[in-house]
C-alpha cells in the first residue's frame, strides 16, 4: 500500500528557530539526514517519491476564475503559522510501517543536532474510489 508522509512546519509550539537562522553545519546535517532516509527507503524498496518544498513565501494559491483562467494569489502569507515542508510517497507493507517511517523522519536534526520532532502526517494513497460509491 502506498502512503504519503507530509512533514509540516509550525512556528507555534516549536522550540527551535527557523532554518534560515541555522548554521551551515546544522543545515548540512539536516539535509544529510534526509538523504540517508531516502537512501534507506530506496534500499528497502519502499521509496516511490519525495521532495523538500519551498517555504510559504514561494507558494502560490491558484483558483479558476472567469472562463477557467487561473487566478493566482502570491505569498508571502503573513498569517501562515504552518506550512508543508516536504513529502514522501512510500510503498510499504502496513500502516504501522508507514507510522514507523514518519516517526523516524520526525527525528530530523535541527539546531545543535537536537531532533526537531516535527509533525509528519500519514495518508493512505487511494488508487480508486471506495467501492460504495
Amino acid at each position: 500500500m502506498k502512503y504519503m508522509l507530509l512533514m509540516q512546519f509550525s512556528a507555534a509550539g516549536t522550540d527551535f528557530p527557523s532554518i534560515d537562522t541555522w548554521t551551515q553545519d546544522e543545515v548540512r546535517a539536516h539535509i544529510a539526514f534526509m538523504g540517508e532516509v531516502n537512501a534507506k527507503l530506496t534500499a528497502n524498496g519502499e521509496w516511490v517519491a519525495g521532495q523538500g518544498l519551498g517555504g510559504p513565501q514561494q507558494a502560490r494559491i491558484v483558483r479558476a476564475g472567469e472562463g477557467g483562467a487561473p487566478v493566482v494569489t502570491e505569498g508571502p502569507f503573513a498569517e501562515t503559522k504552518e506550512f508543508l515542508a516536504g513529502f514522501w510517497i512510500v510503498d510499504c507493507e502496513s500502516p504501522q510501517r508507514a507510522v514507523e517511517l514518519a516517526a523516524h523522519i520526525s527525528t530530523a536534526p535541527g539546531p545543535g543536532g537536537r531532533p526537531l520532532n516535527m509533525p509528519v502526517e500519514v495518508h493512505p494513497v487511494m488508487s480508486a474510489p471506495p467501492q460504495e460509491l
Side-chain angles (χ1 to χ4, degrees), residues 83-103:
F83 65 89
L84 188 57
F87 72 93
W88 292 259
I89 298 176
V90 296
D91 192 351
C92 48
E93 294 182 14
S94 68
Q96 294 80 11
R97 177 62 179 153
V99 167
E100 289 171 5
L101 294 171

Side-chain angles (χ1 to χ4, degrees), residues 29-111:
H30 183 79
I31 292 170
F33 175 89
M34 295 303 179
E36 291 167 13
V37 165
N38 296 345
K40 287 178 186 175
L41 290 171
T42 300
N44 292 341
E46 296 172 313
W47 171 266
V48 176
Q51 294 292 324
L53 300 174
Q57 68 278 10
Q58 298 168 299
R60 305 294 178 261
I61 295 177
V62 181
R63 292 184 173 86
E66 185 76 28
V71 176
V72 180
T73 305
E74 297 183 5
F77 306 105
E79 71 281 359
T80 300
K81 299 210 182 337
E82 296 179 348
F83 65 89
L84 188 57
F87 72 93
W88 292 259
I89 298 176
V90 296
D91 192 351
C92 48
E93 294 182 14
S94 68
Q96 294 80 11
R97 177 62 179 153
V99 167
E100 289 171 5
L101 294 171
H104 178 66
I105 290 168
S106 179
T107 67

